[in-house]
């Protein structure tokens, strides 16, 4: 058929149709967002407040976490009921067992004096415990699925990437291209920014080294005051201790199996320790204070 | 005004675009995670991806063993089992719940078997104190016990050391729910042969006289109250009367051992300091850093010859290098040599020398030395130095103690003269090359110029000068009334008068340096 120029009314009608279609589509999308948010394993009070991007981000992160749990070595299988309790004892201890065993994770989290997190090889938080708000004032929802490098002091990016076994990615403006070997010895004042790339930084990747990790980095904290004179204000020093989780993978073209790192599972403590501030003094104790060079600056009379 | 509107709209458009792009990226990422979205040939639209995602999550929820179905406790973002595994991988620890009054272990998690080698069955229901190191029992009791403190005890704030004002009545908050605890204690570690031998080497384990080893655990947790009936059904009648039990919930973990060091070694920069000296080797500038290495303050060393500090084994080598640097335009590296520090011991240095030539007079003005510490005092390295000539050694031993001055000066005098000698050789070559001036070609020429300096210096000496001059008569060059005769033992071996003069002058300088803190940096050497 011959195409003729649509008239003014026709054009208007078409516009209105598309507007309606868009509105209806948006409505359907919003409904799905809402549904998706409800499926997230978070309290309803939180999920109802989430913006759309966060809903997607948390969903993605949750699915990654499932893969992390099931495909890594050893796989994190759920605890079976009759595993380790003998039948005799079971009845008498069932209550305590129920109370604690089932919610072991929650109790552990509450008892710890730090927070826990999992970082993927892409440098994203796959999981971070809600207790991070106690120590850093950051929100679990905001951090889950985000890049760790957004929350670590820029000067510590290189170290973090190294520990994870990934290559730090430099912005083009920085103008320097670092070989993986020299990345570790780069000055801390480098203009690193942007998302680091996944991938092993050296031929013998992180999987060949012992999985244990222990290092110190500075993370953003809303609890420290941002002062003009303090260089690292707004950051807290974190002692990270944990392990790299790997999964077995077959080398293509051979029967050899290698271990590919999936991410880091770690415990984080703020320094100086924030939990207990009071020490009980006996009668045979006295207090003295020293400088960093062990020079006594104050001593009690007794 | 239209332009202004446009300005606002531009960034807003960009903001919108960025938001849309971000959302699209997220949707793409999400579709990659959903199995149902995978095999599609073309990219799915947003709505479909969302729908499939919801379906996927619903399926997962249904498949899970009711991990999320618990309505009593708020859902956590991780299934509880995963969290347990996670924490186990992150830290080697176990959960411990004890009654505060009896220290009966109400609950202990499975992971204890990995750490203490006891099964959880062996421990549950036992008294905690049976497993704590005897010396730590008191501390653990304290952590579990009531808040009343005996009067001789007091609370001190750990961060400031200042005493916290304890209220007169017992603080109830100490025992209250939520009160936190953090302490270290040693727990028994059962040595079951063969089972975990060698695999779990606990660095914190210490041997006790009996068969038990202990490992140090960091216990952190909080106090909580529960209804007693629920918690401890095996409790006796007395228990039943108590409405609630105070319990301590803690996680006990092994402190992580030192992680393996990163591949790059920490490069410690060797201590370096810079010195500058005149062509005869006398220090004219000393870096402040030098004090940390040689012990002397810069002002103590200025004006003294570097040869005074060289070990006698190194003198010949250093002299050779000295000659070399004066004649070369390049940097000269010395071998490692020993430098005498203030308090006696020698520190091994290695230096790079470079001479600076005045572009107009074409004469060397000074030598810059960049010195690197090879090793500190106490490390005696055998250097492949050319053996010191016998004569120098004998000379050094022959010089008797000079009254009025500290010991060792005799050696100093001799050593310093080496520098001056070398410098004089250089100035001789300058004289030889330059057009002869009146009296300048004679070897005494330089001495003649030096002498007025000497007399100038003599006049500013303190009372010791009389004493000195009595013993060491100074021979002045012809043309000046000679006051004293030279009679310094050991100097007879000098080949030239000016060397002897230089030695005397050095002596005077040393004396002056000891008596006053004048520096001779601004004295212009008439070379």
């Amino acid at each position: 058929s011959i195409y003729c120029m649509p008239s003014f009314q026709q054009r208007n009608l078409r516009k209105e149709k598309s507007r309606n279609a868009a509105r209806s589509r948006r409505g359907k999308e919003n409904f799905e967002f809402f549904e998706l948010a409800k499926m997230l394993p978070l309290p309803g009070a939180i999920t109802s407040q989430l913006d759309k991007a966060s809903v997607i981000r948390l969903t993605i992160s949750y699915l990654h976490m499932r893969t992390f749990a099931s495909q890594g070595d050893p796989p994190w299988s759920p605890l079976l009921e009759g595993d380790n309790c003998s039948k005799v004892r079971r009845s008498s201890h069932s209550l305590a067992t129920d109370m604690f065993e089932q919610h072991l994770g929650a109790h552990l989290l509450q008892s710890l004096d730090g927070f826990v997190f999992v970082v993927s090889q892409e440098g994203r938080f796959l999981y971070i415990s809600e207790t991070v708000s106690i120590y850093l004032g950051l929100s679990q929802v905001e951090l889950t699925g985000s890049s760790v490098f957004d929350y670590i002091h820029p000067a510590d990016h290189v170290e973090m990437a190294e520990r994870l076994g990934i290559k730090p990615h430099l912005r083009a403006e920085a103008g320097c291209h670092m070989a993986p070997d020299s990345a570790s010895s780069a000055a801390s004042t480098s203009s690193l920014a942007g998302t680091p790339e996944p991938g092993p930084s050296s031929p013998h990747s992180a999987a060949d080294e012992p999985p244990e990790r222990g290092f110190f980095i500075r993370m953003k904290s809303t609890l420290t005051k941002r002062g003009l004179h303090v260089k690292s204000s707004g950051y807290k020093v974190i002692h990270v201790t944990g392990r790299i989780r790997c999964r077995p993978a077959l080398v293509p073209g051979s029967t050899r199996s290698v271990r590919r790192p999936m991410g880091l599972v770690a415990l984080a403590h703020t320094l100086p320790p924030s939990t207990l501030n009071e020490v009980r003094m006996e009668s045979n104790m006295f207090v003295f204070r020293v400088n960093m060079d062990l020079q006594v600056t104050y001593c009690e009379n007794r | 005004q239209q332009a202004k509107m446009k300005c606002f709209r531009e960034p807003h458009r960009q903001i919108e675009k960025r938001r849309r792009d971000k959302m699209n990226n997220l949707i793409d990422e999400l579709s990659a995670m959903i199995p149902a979205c995978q095999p599609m040939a073309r990219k799915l639209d947003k709505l479909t991806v969302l729908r499939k995602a919801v379906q996927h999550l619903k399926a997962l929820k249904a498949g899970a063993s009711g991990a999320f179905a618990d309505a009593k406790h708020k859902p956590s973002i991780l299934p509880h089992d995963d969290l347990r595994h996670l924490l186990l991988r992150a830290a080697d620890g176990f959960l411990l719940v004890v009654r505060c009054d009896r220290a009966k272990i109400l609950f202990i998690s499975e992971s204890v078997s990995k750490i203490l080698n006891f099964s959880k069955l062996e421990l549950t229901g036992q008294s905690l104190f049976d497993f704590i190191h005897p010396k730590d029992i008191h501390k653990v009791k304290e952590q579990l016990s009531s808040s009343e403190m005996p009067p001789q005890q007091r609370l001190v704030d750990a961060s400031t050391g200042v005493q916290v004002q304890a209220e007169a009545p017992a603080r109830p908050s100490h025992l209250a729910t939520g009160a936190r605890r953090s302490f270290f204690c040693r727990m028994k570690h059962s040595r079951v042969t063969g089972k975990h031998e060698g695999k779990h080497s606990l660095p914190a384990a210490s041997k006790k006289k009996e068969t038990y080893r202990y490992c140090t655990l960091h216990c952190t947790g909080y106090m909580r109250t529960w209804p007693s009936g629920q918690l401890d059904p095996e409790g006796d009648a007395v228990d039943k009367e108590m409405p609630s039990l105070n319990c301590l919930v803690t996680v006990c973990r092994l402190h992580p051992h030192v992680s393996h060091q990163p591949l790059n070694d920490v490069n410690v920069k060797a201590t370096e300091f810079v010195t500058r000296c005149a062509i005869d080797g006398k220090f004219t500038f000393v870096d402040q850093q030098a004090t940390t290495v040689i012990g002397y303050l810069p002002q103590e060393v200025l004006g003294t010859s570097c040869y005074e500090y060289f070990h006698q084994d190194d003198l010949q080598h250093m002299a050779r290098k000295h000659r070399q640097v004066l004649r070369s335009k390049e940097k000269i590296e010395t071998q490692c040599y020993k430098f005498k520090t203030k308090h006696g011991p020698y520190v091994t240095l290695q230096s790079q020398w470079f001479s600076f030539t005045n572009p107009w007079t074409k004469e060397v003005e000074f030598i810059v030395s960049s010195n690197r510490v090879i090793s500190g005092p106490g490390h005696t390295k055998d250097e492949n130095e050319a053996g010191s000539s016998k004569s120098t050694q004998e000379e050094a031993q022959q010089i008797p103690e000079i009254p009025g001055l500290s010991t060792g000066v005799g050696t100093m005098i001799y050593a310093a003269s080496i520098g001056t000698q070398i410098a004089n050789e250089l100035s001789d070559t300058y004289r030889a090359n330059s057009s002869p001036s009146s009296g300048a070609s004679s070897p005494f020429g330089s001495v003649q110029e030096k002498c007025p300096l000497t007399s100038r210096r003599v006049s500013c000496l303190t009372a010791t000068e009389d004493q000195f001059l009595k013993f060491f008569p100074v021979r002045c060059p012809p043309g000046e009334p000679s006051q004293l005769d030279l009679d310094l033992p050991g100097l007879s071996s000098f080949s030239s008068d000016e060397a002897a003069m230089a030695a005397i002058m050095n002596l005077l300088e040393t004396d002056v340096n000891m008596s006053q803190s004048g520096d001779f940096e601004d004295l212009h050497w008439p070379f």
Side-chain angles (χ1 to χ4, degrees):
Chain A
S1 61
I2 301 166
Y3 177 76
C4 42
M5 191 70 115
S7 66
F8 185 71
Q9 294 95 325
Q10 280 176 321
R11 256 181 285 156
N12 262 356
L13 205 64
R14 211 168 287 181
K15 272 190 199 162
E16 189 164 335
K17 266 193 192 162
S18 70
R19 266 203 298 271
N20 286 339
R23 204 179 301 137
S24 123
R25 189 180 60 235
R26 264 202 303 278
K28 286 182 192 156
E29 279 173 8
N30 286 349
F31 176 73
E32 296 301 328
F33 271 114
F34 191 61
E35 286 293 299
L36 196 58
K38 277 201 291 188
M39 297 305 302
L40 286 175
L42 283 172
I46 295 181
T47 55
S48 54
Q49 302 293 325
L50 291 172
D51 64 291
K52 293 178 189 166
S54 296
V55 171
I56 308 281
R57 176 170 47 88
L58 290 172
T59 311
I60 294 171
S61 175
Y62 166 65
L63 291 172
H64 273 300
M65 192 61 211
R66 286 187 63 95
T67 317
F68 190 88
S70 57
Q71 286 188 9
D73 173 47
W76 294 347
S77 55
L79 179 69
L80 295 172
E81 267 301 308
D83 242 358
N84 39 36
C85 310
S86 74
K87 287 227 167 108
V88 178
R89 288 264 190 163
R90 207 177 143 196
S91 54
S92 53
H93 284 279
S94 58
L95 283 166
T97 311
D98 285 345
M99 283 181 67
F100 296 112
E101 192 70 57
Q102 280 188 7
H103 305 288
L104 193 59
H107 284 296
L108 283 169
L109 273 186
Q110 273 189 300
S111 307
L112 280 171
D113 54 347
F115 58 95
V116 185
F117 63 87
V118 176
V119 178
S120 70
Q121 281 301 96
E122 281 87 42
R124 301 254 184 96
F125 282 116
L126 286 186
Y127 166 76
I128 187 161
S129 62
E130 51 270 27
T131 43
V132 69
S133 58
I134 301 174
Y135 301 99
L136 294 182
L138 301 173
S139 111
Q140 179 191 44
V141 165
E142 182 193 330
L143 262 59
T144 310
S146 308
S147 167
V148 297
F149 296 96
D150 292 341
Y151 297 93
I152 293 180
H153 195 282
D156 296 335
H157 283 184
V158 178
E159 179 163 5
M160 185 74 197
E162 237 176 77
R163 297 290 187 264
L164 287 173
I166 63 183
K167 245 189 318 190
H169 175 70
L170 301 177
R171 268 208 198 127
E173 296 104 58
C176 49
H177 300 276
M178 296 202 298
D181 304 308
S182 63
S184 50
S185 54
S188 61
T189 51
S190 59
S191 52
L192 276 181
T195 328
E197 285 171 352
S201 60
S202 54
H204 57 93
S205 64
D208 294 338
E209 301 161 357
E212 283 81 23
R213 293 288 182 273
F215 54 94
F216 298 86
I217 48 168
R218 282 162 289 180
M219 281 185 75
K220 271 193 189 150
S221 165
T222 59
L223 299 176
T224 57
K225 290 193 201 137
R226 290 196 78 98
L228 290 169
H229 304 292
V230 183
K231 226 180 185 180
S232 293
S233 63
Y235 291 93
K236 267 197 185 177
V237 179
I238 303 282
H239 182 199
V240 178
T241 50
R243 286 190 173 91
I244 296 279
R245 184 168 165 80
C246 297
R247 72 180 155 84
L250 282 174
V251 174
S254 81
T255 49
R256 200 160 46 99
S257 149
V258 290
R259 293 163 60 78
R260 298 224 181 281
M262 293 179 82
L264 173 71
V265 180
L267 202 54
H269 291 97
T270 53
L271 294 177
S274 50
T275 43
L276 276 198
N277 285 330
E278 287 169 3
V279 178
R280 205 185 289 222
M281 302 283 294
E282 303 279 345
S283 54
N284 57 351
M285 296 180 181
F286 67 95
V287 175
F288 67 92
R289 249 204 320 267
V290 289
N291 268 344
M292 294 302 277
D293 56 358
L294 295 187
Q295 193 184 43
V296 180
T297 56
Y298 162 77
C299 186
E300 267 191 315
N301 278 344
R302 33 160 82 206
Chain B
Q1 197 188 15
Q2 194 117 38
K4 222 201 253 181
M5 289 291 282
K6 243 192 182 171
C7 264
F8 277 125
R9 224 176 277 146
E10 278 298 327
H12 186 68
R13 215 179 299 161
Q14 282 182 4
I15 293 172
E16 272 302 313
K17 184 176 188 303
R18 244 182 283 137
R19 241 169 28 107
R20 271 201 311 274
D21 287 342
K22 187 173 151 198
M23 180 56 76
N24 289 339
N25 285 338
L26 283 173
I27 297 288
D28 287 342
E29 225 183 303
L30 182 60
S31 68
M33 300 295 301
I34 313 280
C37 300
Q38 276 317 295
M40 297 296 167
R42 56 181 171 80
K43 199 171 119 169
L44 290 172
D45 65 295
K46 193 160 143 188
L47 187 60
T48 317
V49 172
L50 286 173
R51 283 198 178 132
K52 293 222 184 278
V54 174
Q55 285 167 9
H56 184 63
L57 287 196
K58 278 191 178 147
L60 288 178
K61 191 171 182 179
S65 56
F68 297 121
D70 194 347
K72 278 190 287 179
H73 297 256
K74 61 171 191 203
S76 71
I77 200 163
L78 269 195
H80 301 293
D81 293 324
D82 278 359
L83 188 56
R84 181 171 52 87
H85 283 290
L86 194 159
L87 288 166
L88 245 155
R89 292 304 290 163
D92 296 317
F94 56 89
L95 188 78
L96 171 68
V97 183
V98 290
R99 276 175 67 152
C100 288
D101 50 352
R102 308 251 185 91
K104 183 168 158 189
I105 298 177
L106 294 175
F107 175 82
I108 196 160
S109 72
E110 179 63 40
S111 39
V112 68
S113 56
K114 273 209 193 111
I115 298 175
L116 294 184
N117 249 347
F118 290 109
S119 82
K120 75 180 248 176
L121 291 176
E122 288 177 82
L123 295 171
T124 316
Q126 305 296 319
S127 166
L128 179 64
F129 293 138
D130 291 345
F131 295 91
I132 303 268
H133 191 286
K135 288 199 179 154
D136 294 338
I137 289 183
H138 176 73
K139 189 203 286 192
V140 176
K141 254 193 202 159
E142 199 178 85
Q143 297 291 325
L144 293 175
S145 70
S146 72
S147 58
E148 289 189 27
M149 282 190 298
Q152 60 264 33
Q153 283 188 349
R154 59 214 165 93
L155 278 179
V156 166
D157 188 353
S159 53
T160 59
V162 172
Q163 181 165 341
V164 173
Q165 291 303 324
E167 296 105 55
R171 292 169 3 132
S173 60
H174 193 68
L175 256 190
T177 295
R180 295 204 67 94
R181 292 284 188 275
S182 171
F183 58 93
F184 288 83
C185 70
R186 283 164 287 184
M187 284 204 202
K188 257 182 209 167
H189 170 245
S190 151
R191 271 195 325 186
V192 180
T193 50
K195 193 176 183 197
H196 291 279
E197 207 82 347
K199 196 175 183 209
H200 292 283
S201 54
L202 295 163
S206 66
K207 238 187 160 179
K208 199 62 183 121
K209 46 188 176 189
E210 274 134 359
T211 56
Y212 287 112
R213 291 161 163 244
Y214 291 87
C215 62
T216 308
L217 299 171
H218 186 189
C219 304
T220 56
Y222 62 103
M223 307 292 286
R224 188 147 166 198
T225 311
W226 273 293
S228 59
Q230 269 192 14
L231 216 48
D232 195 6
E234 278 186 357
D236 47 21
V238 181
D239 265 358
K240 295 280 194 293
E241 289 167 22
M242 282 171 50
S244 61
L245 277 182
N246 251 332
C247 300
L248 176 65
V249 183
T250 108
V251 59
C252 309
R253 52 191 182 90
L254 280 176
H255 253 243
H257 61 88
V258 176
S259 66
H260 86 104
Q261 296 305 314
L263 295 171
N264 53 318
D265 289 307
V266 179
N267 285 327
V268 181
K269 206 174 130 196
T271 315
E272 280 187 17
F273 61 96
V274 174
T275 56
R276 200 162 63 217
C277 48
I279 62 170
D280 62 354
K282 296 220 178 74
F283 289 114
T284 56
F285 166 79
V286 175
D287 192 351
Q288 274 186 350
Q289 271 231 315
T291 313
T292 59
V293 179
I294 63 177
Y296 294 103
L297 290 169
Q299 49 264 39
E300 289 175 302
V301 153
L302 287 176
T304 59
S305 170
C306 57
Y307 284 95
E308 296 165 26
Y309 306 89
F310 296 154
H311 193 271
Q312 51 196 29
D313 297 341
D314 301 319
L315 282 175
Q316 202 173 14
H317 170 72
M318 299 309 277
R320 201 171 43 233
K321 290 292 175 189
H322 185 188
R323 278 202 182 85
Q324 206 181 341
V325 75
L326 289 176
R327 281 156 182 79
S328 161
K329 283 198 167 60
E330 292 156 8
K331 286 191 182 157
I332 306 289
E333 292 259 354
T334 68
Q335 287 177 12
C336 296
Y337 60 93
K338 292 200 186 58
F339 194 99
K340 188 162 173 304
T341 62
K342 183 169 182 175
H343 304 288
Y346 283 87
V347 58
T348 312
L349 302 175
Q350 195 251 330
S351 304
Q352 208 179 50
W353 286 353
F354 175 72
S355 62
F356 174 77
T357 313
N358 188 318
W360 284 281
T361 63
K362 301 279 189 285
E363 290 174 1
V364 179
E365 288 217 336
F366 53 82
I367 302 164
V368 179
S369 170
S370 168
N371 313 293
R372 194 171 50 199
V373 180
I374 302 295
S375 67
H379 299 273
T380 45
K381 272 189 178 178
D382 287 336
E383 308 301 336
N384 296 339
E385 287 294 331
S388 53
S389 61
K390 278 194 185 151
S391 55
T392 60
Q393 263 189 326
E394 284 161 12
E395 246 85 70
Q397 282 159 13
Q398 270 171 25
I399 298 171
E401 192 178 310
I402 301 162
L405 292 165
S406 58
T407 52
V409 167
T411 329
M412 279 161 63
I413 296 175
Y414 173 79
S417 67
I418 300 176
T420 357
Q421 203 170 352
I422 294 174
N424 291 338
E425 284 170 19
L426 185 74
S427 53
D428 287 349
T429 51
Y430 287 154
R431 299 281 170 271
N433 291 341
S434 66
S435 54
S437 53
S438 56
S441 56
S442 94
F444 288 90
S446 46
V447 180
Q448 204 164 24
E449 288 161 56
K450 269 195 235 167
C451 207
L453 224 60
T454 314
S455 49
R456 213 191 314 159
R457 285 199 197 192
V458 167
S459 62
C460 62
L461 280 181
T462 58
T464 57
E465 65 175 307
D466 285 327
Q467 199 181 3
F468 168 75
L469 288 172
K470 281 203 191 90
F471 284 105
F472 306 104
V474 178
R475 184 197 306 171
C476 274
E480 291 227 21
S482 73
Q483 296 159 13
L484 306 152
D485 288 317
L486 188 65
D487 190 17
L488 189 65
L491 286 180
S492 52
S493 61
F494 289 166
S495 52
S496 60
D497 283 337
E498 60 262 33
M501 187 59 63
I504 302 295
M505 275 187 357
N506 182 56
L507 201 59
L508 296 176
E509 274 177 58
T510 318
D511 199 20
V512 170
N513 274 343
M514 284 194 281
S515 57
Q516 66 182 83
S517 59
D519 61 332
F520 297 99
E521 274 188 324
D522 47 2
L523 269 178
H524 184 62
W525 282 100
F527 278 116

